[in-house]
Amino acid sequence: MTRSLYRSLLCLYPPDFRARFTDEMLWIYDETASAGVIPLFTDGFASLFRQWAQHSTPLAAAGLGGALHMALFLIMILPMTSRVPVCVPVRRVLLSNISAPVELTRLSGAWVGALRSTGPSGPIELILAKRGGAWTGKLYLQGPDGQMHGGPLQDINVEGDSLRFRIEAGDADMIFTGRLRQGKLTGVLEATANGSQVAARVRGKKVGEGTWQMARAASPNAAGIRRSP
Amino acid sequence: MKEDLSPFLPLSPATLHILLSLAGEERHGYGIMQEVARQSEGQYKLGPGTLYDNLQKLMDQAIVEEAPRRSADDDPRRRYYRLTGLGRRILTAEVARLEGVVREARIHLRQPSPRRAS
């Protein structure tokens, strides 16, 4: 519970600071929380204030006000949630407590990384959410036009830290299988066509296989690559 | 030409402790916190927020830099930091300044000022 609160607090930092240090701060929290969390929160709030104060523009001042507001709001509503929220779903957490129930897990949120395969290779972004017991999500891959093209995830299967899902790409299926290890999602890709795996050959033509790795993103479209409409 | 380090001095207590903790070897964030607590015999405790506020500033000023990971097996959340050449010179200058302060303090504490005649 307190870890969730601390993680939410870290989500309120300016994006550049968050991207640089959030993982480390959370790691230190994990190492030191057993000795008492009050000093960690006191230090966290003071640091949060300093960070926003450094961005001394009216916009930053508004951001500071908003961040502190959100901090108070999170403190009030987070006892209603049971799992750890991540930065990207903060808005989702807030909204979900108003509308539909959302289950927050270690895998939910935004992930960015790279795909290397015999077919498409390049930046990759995954958005995962669990609502009412069902997983939903979208995967973005970089197309030949340089833009990110997204497709809905299908047949999503999550067991513990293991993840498997499928997306349709033309007449082929791309099956992603991966696992969360040390904060990173890594796995393999197998493209299938007509129900046959392409790790073997399909109609004498290999469609594709590859590997992928992703780390948690501070925000959706963290790579900043233009998305196809 | 002598380098002018005066814009960096005096160092704040947090900055001084962080630079001191990195003077001997590179350390990760938690290692810095532990070393600061050890050096100050537990009197100065650095929280992660204060630590990374300072590390951000020190890295932006090229006083501290990120060091390569020690091994591929290391926890990916664990990043190592070390002093740059500039950082070491600033720390040396600060220690010299503090030595002057301590010297002055000792002189004055040994010679109590005469009481005013009533």
Side-chain angles (χ1 to χ4, degrees), chain A residues 147-174:
Chain A
Q147 295 187 19
M148 299 295 274
H149 296 263
L153 308 188
Q154 298 182 26
D155 304 334
I156 305 171
N157 182 24
V158 176
E159 287 180 14
D161 286 343
S162 297
L163 166 71
R164 181 185 168 90
F165 61 85
R166 177 175 68 86
I167 63 165
E168 291 178 0
D171 58 353
D173 281 343
M174 298 170 77

PDB file of all heavy atoms in Angstrom, chain A residues 147-174:
ATOM      1  N   GLN A 147       6.325   6.104 -39.378  1.00  0.00           N
ATOM      2  CA  GLN A 147       5.338   6.381 -38.337  1.00  0.00           C
ATOM      3  C   GLN A 147       5.017   5.105 -37.557  1.00  0.00           C
ATOM      4  O   GLN A 147       5.244   3.997 -38.039  1.00  0.00           O
ATOM      5  CB  GLN A 147       4.061   6.934 -38.964  1.00  0.00           C
ATOM      6  CG  GLN A 147       4.272   8.281 -39.624  1.00  0.00           C
ATOM      7  CD  GLN A 147       2.959   8.895 -40.088  1.00  0.00           C
ATOM      8  OE1 GLN A 147       1.882   8.528 -39.644  1.00  0.00           O
ATOM      9  NE2 GLN A 147       3.051   9.852 -40.993  1.00  0.00           N
ATOM     10  N   MET A 148       4.488   5.303 -36.360  1.00  0.00           N
ATOM     11  CA  MET A 148       4.105   4.159 -35.534  1.00  0.00           C
ATOM     12  C   MET A 148       2.678   3.743 -35.892  1.00  0.00           C
ATOM     13  O   MET A 148       1.766   4.573 -35.881  1.00  0.00           O
ATOM     14  CB  MET A 148       4.183   4.514 -34.044  1.00  0.00           C
ATOM     15  CG  MET A 148       5.575   4.906 -33.564  1.00  0.00           C
ATOM     16  SD  MET A 148       6.765   3.560 -33.662  1.00  0.00           S
ATOM     17  CE  MET A 148       6.482   2.723 -32.104  1.00  0.00           C
ATOM     18  N   HIS A 149       2.525   2.473 -36.177  1.00  0.00           N
ATOM     19  CA  HIS A 149       1.204   1.948 -36.530  1.00  0.00           C
ATOM     20  C   HIS A 149       0.745   1.022 -35.414  1.00  0.00           C
ATOM     21  O   HIS A 149       1.490   0.117 -35.017  1.00  0.00           O
ATOM     22  CB  HIS A 149       1.269   1.193 -37.851  1.00  0.00           C
ATOM     23  CG  HIS A 149       1.632   2.074 -39.015  1.00  0.00           C
ATOM     24  ND1 HIS A 149       0.687   2.615 -39.864  1.00  0.00           N
ATOM     25  CD2 HIS A 149       2.836   2.542 -39.433  1.00  0.00           C
ATOM     26  CE1 HIS A 149       1.300   3.363 -40.767  1.00  0.00           C
ATOM     27  NE2 HIS A 149       2.615   3.338 -40.530  1.00  0.00           N
ATOM     28  N   GLY A 150      -0.456   1.254 -34.930  1.00  0.00           N
ATOM     29  CA  GLY A 150      -0.939   0.476 -33.799  1.00  0.00           C
ATOM     30  C   GLY A 150      -1.993  -0.547 -34.181  1.00  0.00           C
ATOM     31  O   GLY A 150      -2.755  -0.340 -35.126  1.00  0.00           O
ATOM     32  N   GLY A 151      -2.001  -1.639 -33.466  1.00  0.00           N
ATOM     33  CA  GLY A 151      -3.030  -2.657 -33.656  1.00  0.00           C
ATOM     34  C   GLY A 151      -3.443  -3.219 -32.309  1.00  0.00           C
ATOM     35  O   GLY A 151      -2.628  -3.277 -31.381  1.00  0.00           O
ATOM     36  N   PRO A 152      -4.724  -3.572 -32.185  1.00  0.00           N
ATOM     37  CA  PRO A 152      -5.199  -4.091 -30.889  1.00  0.00           C
ATOM     38  C   PRO A 152      -4.606  -5.462 -30.575  1.00  0.00           C
ATOM     39  O   PRO A 152      -4.385  -6.275 -31.483  1.00  0.00           O
ATOM     40  CB  PRO A 152      -6.718  -4.186 -31.087  1.00  0.00           C
ATOM     41  CG  PRO A 152      -6.901  -4.312 -32.564  1.00  0.00           C
ATOM     42  CD  PRO A 152      -5.775  -3.585 -33.204  1.00  0.00           C
ATOM     43  N   LEU A 153      -4.369  -5.705 -29.313  1.00  0.00           N
ATOM     44  CA  LEU A 153      -3.872  -7.008 -28.893  1.00  0.00           C
ATOM     45  C   LEU A 153      -5.046  -7.989 -28.835  1.00  0.00           C
ATOM     46  O   LEU A 153      -6.139  -7.625 -28.418  1.00  0.00           O
ATOM     47  CB  LEU A 153      -3.232  -6.925 -27.503  1.00  0.00           C
ATOM     48  CG  LEU A 153      -2.165  -5.859 -27.273  1.00  0.00           C
ATOM     49  CD1 LEU A 153      -1.510  -6.075 -25.902  1.00  0.00           C
ATOM     50  CD2 LEU A 153      -1.109  -5.877 -28.359  1.00  0.00           C
ATOM     51  N   GLN A 154      -4.756  -9.206 -29.216  1.00  0.00           N
ATOM     52  CA  GLN A 154      -5.791 -10.239 -29.153  1.00  0.00           C
ATOM     53  C   GLN A 154      -5.255 -11.447 -28.390  1.00  0.00           C
ATOM     54  O   GLN A 154      -4.049 -11.652 -28.311  1.00  0.00           O
ATOM     55  CB  GLN A 154      -6.189 -10.648 -30.574  1.00  0.00           C
ATOM     56  CG  GLN A 154      -6.770  -9.472 -31.349  1.00  0.00           C
ATOM     57  CD  GLN A 154      -7.213  -9.851 -32.743  1.00  0.00           C
ATOM     58  OE1 GLN A 154      -7.542 -10.987 -33.010  1.00  0.00           O
ATOM     59  NE2 GLN A 154      -7.215  -8.877 -33.631  1.00  0.00           N
ATOM     60  N   ASP A 155      -6.163 -12.216 -27.859  1.00  0.00           N
ATOM     61  CA  ASP A 155      -5.812 -13.447 -27.120  1.00  0.00           C
ATOM     62  C   ASP A 155      -4.732 -13.162 -26.058  1.00  0.00           C
ATOM     63  O   ASP A 155      -3.736 -13.882 -25.970  1.00  0.00           O
ATOM     64  CB  ASP A 155      -5.302 -14.538 -28.064  1.00  0.00           C
ATOM     65  CG  ASP A 155      -6.307 -14.856 -29.168  1.00  0.00           C
ATOM     66  OD1 ASP A 155      -7.515 -14.629 -28.929  1.00  0.00           O
ATOM     67  OD2 ASP A 155      -5.892 -15.306 -30.241  1.00  0.00           O
ATOM     68  N   ILE A 156      -4.949 -12.123 -25.307  1.00  0.00           N
ATOM     69  CA  ILE A 156      -3.938 -11.765 -24.297  1.00  0.00           C
ATOM     70  C   ILE A 156      -4.003 -12.764 -23.146  1.00  0.00           C
ATOM     71  O   ILE A 156      -5.072 -13.024 -22.596  1.00  0.00           O
ATOM     72  CB  ILE A 156      -4.187 -10.338 -23.752  1.00  0.00           C
ATOM     73  CG1 ILE A 156      -4.251  -9.338 -24.914  1.00  0.00           C
ATOM     74  CG2 ILE A 156      -3.092  -9.944 -22.775  1.00  0.00           C
ATOM     75  CD1 ILE A 156      -4.711  -7.950 -24.481  1.00  0.00           C
ATOM     76  N   ASN A 157      -2.860 -13.287 -22.816  1.00  0.00           N
ATOM     77  CA  ASN A 157      -2.790 -14.249 -21.712  1.00  0.00           C
ATOM     78  C   ASN A 157      -1.670 -13.824 -20.764  1.00  0.00           C
ATOM     79  O   ASN A 157      -0.505 -13.732 -21.172  1.00  0.00           O
ATOM     80  CB  ASN A 157      -2.528 -15.656 -22.270  1.00  0.00           C
ATOM     81  CG  ASN A 157      -2.500 -16.694 -21.163  1.00  0.00           C
ATOM     82  OD1 ASN A 157      -3.089 -16.482 -20.105  1.00  0.00           O
ATOM     83  ND2 ASN A 157      -1.811 -17.787 -21.392  1.00  0.00           N
ATOM     84  N   VAL A 158      -2.038 -13.522 -19.538  1.00  0.00           N
ATOM     85  CA  VAL A 158      -1.041 -13.115 -18.542  1.00  0.00           C
ATOM     86  C   VAL A 158      -1.084 -14.104 -17.389  1.00  0.00           C
ATOM     87  O   VAL A 158      -2.148 -14.364 -16.819  1.00  0.00           O
ATOM     88  CB  VAL A 158      -1.336 -11.688 -18.022  1.00  0.00           C
ATOM     89  CG1 VAL A 158      -0.360 -11.315 -16.914  1.00  0.00           C
ATOM     90  CG2 VAL A 158      -1.253 -10.678 -19.150  1.00  0.00           C
ATOM     91  N   GLU A 159       0.055 -14.658 -17.082  1.00  0.00           N
ATOM     92  CA  GLU A 159       0.161 -15.552 -15.909  1.00  0.00           C
ATOM     93  C   GLU A 159       1.376 -15.109 -15.108  1.00  0.00           C
ATOM     94  O   GLU A 159       2.506 -15.291 -15.553  1.00  0.00           O
ATOM     95  CB  GLU A 159       0.311 -17.002 -16.355  1.00  0.00           C
ATOM     96  CG  GLU A 159      -0.986 -17.581 -16.904  1.00  0.00           C
ATOM     97  CD  GLU A 159      -0.839 -19.019 -17.341  1.00  0.00           C
ATOM     98  OE1 GLU A 159       0.173 -19.646 -16.977  1.00  0.00           O
ATOM     99  OE2 GLU A 159      -1.723 -19.505 -18.058  1.00  0.00           O
ATOM    100  N   GLY A 160       1.110 -14.525 -13.962  1.00  0.00           N
ATOM    101  CA  GLY A 160       2.226 -14.000 -13.165  1.00  0.00           C
ATOM    102  C   GLY A 160       2.944 -12.915 -13.948  1.00  0.00           C
ATOM    103  O   GLY A 160       2.336 -11.942 -14.380  1.00  0.00           O
ATOM    104  N   ASP A 161       4.218 -13.109 -14.175  1.00  0.00           N
ATOM    105  CA  ASP A 161       5.008 -12.138 -14.920  1.00  0.00           C
ATOM    106  C   ASP A 161       5.170 -12.533 -16.386  1.00  0.00           C
ATOM    107  O   ASP A 161       5.956 -11.934 -17.106  1.00  0.00           O
ATOM    108  CB  ASP A 161       6.397 -11.983 -14.280  1.00  0.00           C
ATOM    109  CG  ASP A 161       6.327 -11.189 -12.989  1.00  0.00           C
ATOM    110  OD1 ASP A 161       5.304 -10.515 -12.770  1.00  0.00           O
ATOM    111  OD2 ASP A 161       7.283 -11.242 -12.205  1.00  0.00           O
ATOM    112  N   SER A 162       4.447 -13.565 -16.799  1.00  0.00           N
ATOM    113  CA  SER A 162       4.538 -14.005 -18.196  1.00  0.00           C
ATOM    114  C   SER A 162       3.395 -13.418 -19.003  1.00  0.00           C
ATOM    115  O   SER A 162       2.267 -13.286 -18.514  1.00  0.00           O
ATOM    116  CB  SER A 162       4.484 -15.527 -18.283  1.00  0.00           C
ATOM    117  OG  SER A 162       5.599 -16.074 -17.629  1.00  0.00           O
ATOM    118  N   LEU A 163       3.694 -13.117 -20.243  1.00  0.00           N
ATOM    119  CA  LEU A 163       2.736 -12.437 -21.102  1.00  0.00           C
ATOM    120  C   LEU A 163       2.765 -13.067 -22.491  1.00  0.00           C
ATOM    121  O   LEU A 163       3.844 -13.423 -23.000  1.00  0.00           O
ATOM    122  CB  LEU A 163       3.120 -10.951 -21.193  1.00  0.00           C
ATOM    123  CG  LEU A 163       2.475 -10.099 -22.263  1.00  0.00           C
ATOM    124  CD1 LEU A 163       1.001  -9.869 -21.919  1.00  0.00           C
ATOM    125  CD2 LEU A 163       3.183  -8.756 -22.369  1.00  0.00           C
ATOM    126  N   ARG A 164       1.589 -13.218 -23.078  1.00  0.00           N
ATOM    127  CA  ARG A 164       1.498 -13.711 -24.447  1.00  0.00           C
ATOM    128  C   ARG A 164       0.316 -13.021 -25.099  1.00  0.00           C
ATOM    129  O   ARG A 164      -0.750 -12.883 -24.504  1.00  0.00           O
ATOM    130  CB  ARG A 164       1.297 -15.229 -24.438  1.00  0.00           C
ATOM    131  CG  ARG A 164       1.221 -15.868 -25.814  1.00  0.00           C
ATOM    132  CD  ARG A 164       0.895 -17.356 -25.624  1.00  0.00           C
ATOM    133  NE  ARG A 164       0.520 -17.994 -26.868  1.00  0.00           N
ATOM    134  CZ  ARG A 164       1.383 -18.578 -27.688  1.00  0.00           C
ATOM    135  NH1 ARG A 164       2.665 -18.603 -27.391  1.00  0.00           N
ATOM    136  NH2 ARG A 164       0.965 -19.134 -28.803  1.00  0.00           N
ATOM    137  N   PHE A 165       0.513 -12.552 -26.316  1.00  0.00           N
ATOM    138  CA  PHE A 165      -0.602 -11.949 -27.046  1.00  0.00           C
ATOM    139  C   PHE A 165      -0.358 -12.070 -28.538  1.00  0.00           C
ATOM    140  O   PHE A 165       0.736 -12.430 -28.976  1.00  0.00           O
ATOM    141  CB  PHE A 165      -0.797 -10.475 -26.641  1.00  0.00           C
ATOM    142  CG  PHE A 165       0.379  -9.591 -26.908  1.00  0.00           C
ATOM    143  CD1 PHE A 165       0.580  -9.000 -28.147  1.00  0.00           C
ATOM    144  CD2 PHE A 165       1.305  -9.331 -25.907  1.00  0.00           C
ATOM    145  CE1 PHE A 165       1.664  -8.181 -28.389  1.00  0.00           C
ATOM    146  CE2 PHE A 165       2.395  -8.510 -26.140  1.00  0.00           C
ATOM    147  CZ  PHE A 165       2.579  -7.931 -27.381  1.00  0.00           C
ATOM    148  N   ARG A 166      -1.381 -11.754 -29.283  1.00  0.00           N
ATOM    149  CA  ARG A 166      -1.319 -11.896 -30.739  1.00  0.00           C
ATOM    150  C   ARG A 166      -1.790 -10.598 -31.374  1.00  0.00           C
ATOM    151  O   ARG A 166      -2.689  -9.925 -30.844  1.00  0.00           O
ATOM    152  CB  ARG A 166      -2.246 -13.045 -31.140  1.00  0.00           C
ATOM    153  CG  ARG A 166      -2.375 -13.315 -32.614  1.00  0.00           C
ATOM    154  CD  ARG A 166      -3.231 -14.557 -32.830  1.00  0.00           C
ATOM    155  NE  ARG A 166      -4.632 -14.360 -32.460  1.00  0.00           N
ATOM    156  CZ  ARG A 166      -5.555 -13.851 -33.273  1.00  0.00           C
ATOM    157  NH1 ARG A 166      -5.236 -13.473 -34.500  1.00  0.00           N
ATOM    158  NH2 ARG A 166      -6.806 -13.717 -32.876  1.00  0.00           N
ATOM    159  N   ILE A 167      -1.162 -10.236 -32.460  1.00  0.00           N
ATOM    160  CA  ILE A 167      -1.728  -9.146 -33.259  1.00  0.00           C
ATOM    161  C   ILE A 167      -1.782  -9.598 -34.718  1.00  0.00           C
ATOM    162  O   ILE A 167      -0.977 -10.438 -35.140  1.00  0.00           O
ATOM    163  CB  ILE A 167      -0.936  -7.807 -33.150  1.00  0.00           C
ATOM    164  CG1 ILE A 167       0.477  -7.951 -33.676  1.00  0.00           C
ATOM    165  CG2 ILE A 167      -0.936  -7.277 -31.756  1.00  0.00           C
ATOM    166  CD1 ILE A 167       1.134  -6.597 -33.916  1.00  0.00           C
ATOM    167  N   GLU A 168      -2.712  -9.049 -35.430  1.00  0.00           N
ATOM    168  CA  GLU A 168      -2.846  -9.407 -36.844  1.00  0.00           C
ATOM    169  C   GLU A 168      -2.097  -8.386 -37.681  1.00  0.00           C
ATOM    170  O   GLU A 168      -2.233  -7.185 -37.473  1.00  0.00           O
ATOM    171  CB  GLU A 168      -4.316  -9.433 -37.237  1.00  0.00           C
ATOM    172  CG  GLU A 168      -5.072 -10.587 -36.597  1.00  0.00           C
ATOM    173  CD  GLU A 168      -6.553 -10.584 -36.957  1.00  0.00           C
ATOM    174  OE1 GLU A 168      -6.989  -9.679 -37.701  1.00  0.00           O
ATOM    175  OE2 GLU A 168      -7.269 -11.470 -36.464  1.00  0.00           O
ATOM    176  N   ALA A 169      -1.299  -8.896 -38.590  1.00  0.00           N
ATOM    177  CA  ALA A 169      -0.569  -8.016 -39.497  1.00  0.00           C
ATOM    178  C   ALA A 169      -0.757  -8.568 -40.908  1.00  0.00           C
ATOM    179  O   ALA A 169      -0.101  -9.521 -41.303  1.00  0.00           O
ATOM    180  CB  ALA A 169       0.911  -7.978 -39.130  1.00  0.00           C
ATOM    181  N   GLY A 170      -1.682  -7.969 -41.625  1.00  0.00           N
ATOM    182  CA  GLY A 170      -1.998  -8.477 -42.961  1.00  0.00           C
ATOM    183  C   GLY A 170      -2.582  -9.875 -42.851  1.00  0.00           C
ATOM    184  O   GLY A 170      -3.501 -10.122 -42.072  1.00  0.00           O
ATOM    185  N   ASP A 171      -2.019 -10.822 -43.611  1.00  0.00           N
ATOM    186  CA  ASP A 171      -2.541 -12.182 -43.561  1.00  0.00           C
ATOM    187  C   ASP A 171      -1.765 -13.039 -42.566  1.00  0.00           C
ATOM    188  O   ASP A 171      -1.911 -14.255 -42.538  1.00  0.00           O
ATOM    189  CB  ASP A 171      -2.501 -12.822 -44.953  1.00  0.00           C
ATOM    190  CG  ASP A 171      -1.098 -12.837 -45.511  1.00  0.00           C
ATOM    191  OD1 ASP A 171      -0.208 -12.230 -44.882  1.00  0.00           O
ATOM    192  OD2 ASP A 171      -0.891 -13.458 -46.571  1.00  0.00           O
ATOM    193  N   ALA A 172      -0.926 -12.423 -41.788  1.00  0.00           N
ATOM    194  CA  ALA A 172      -0.136 -13.175 -40.804  1.00  0.00           C
ATOM    195  C   ALA A 172      -0.530 -12.772 -39.392  1.00  0.00           C
ATOM    196  O   ALA A 172      -1.059 -11.682 -39.154  1.00  0.00           O
ATOM    197  CB  ALA A 172       1.350 -12.922 -41.025  1.00  0.00           C
ATOM    198  N   ASP A 173      -0.271 -13.673 -38.469  1.00  0.00           N
ATOM    199  CA  ASP A 173      -0.433 -13.372 -37.052  1.00  0.00           C
ATOM    200  C   ASP A 173       0.959 -13.231 -36.445  1.00  0.00           C
ATOM    201  O   ASP A 173       1.857 -14.005 -36.768  1.00  0.00           O
ATOM    202  CB  ASP A 173      -1.153 -14.515 -36.331  1.00  0.00           C
ATOM    203  CG  ASP A 173      -2.647 -14.461 -36.584  1.00  0.00           C
ATOM    204  OD1 ASP A 173      -3.130 -13.404 -37.025  1.00  0.00           O
ATOM    205  OD2 ASP A 173      -3.297 -15.483 -36.348  1.00  0.00           O
ATOM    206  N   MET A 174       1.107 -12.258 -35.578  1.00  0.00           N
ATOM    207  CA  MET A 174       2.375 -12.113 -34.858  1.00  0.00           C
ATOM    208  C   MET A 174       2.105 -12.450 -33.397  1.00  0.00           C
ATOM    209  O   MET A 174       1.280 -11.808 -32.753  1.00  0.00           O
ATOM    210  CB  MET A 174       2.923 -10.687 -35.003  1.00  0.00           C
ATOM    211  CG  MET A 174       3.222 -10.316 -36.455  1.00  0.00           C
ATOM    212  SD  MET A 174       3.577  -8.562 -36.650  1.00  0.00           S
ATOM    213  CE  MET A 174       5.235  -8.487 -36.047  1.00  0.00           C
TER     214      MET A 174
END
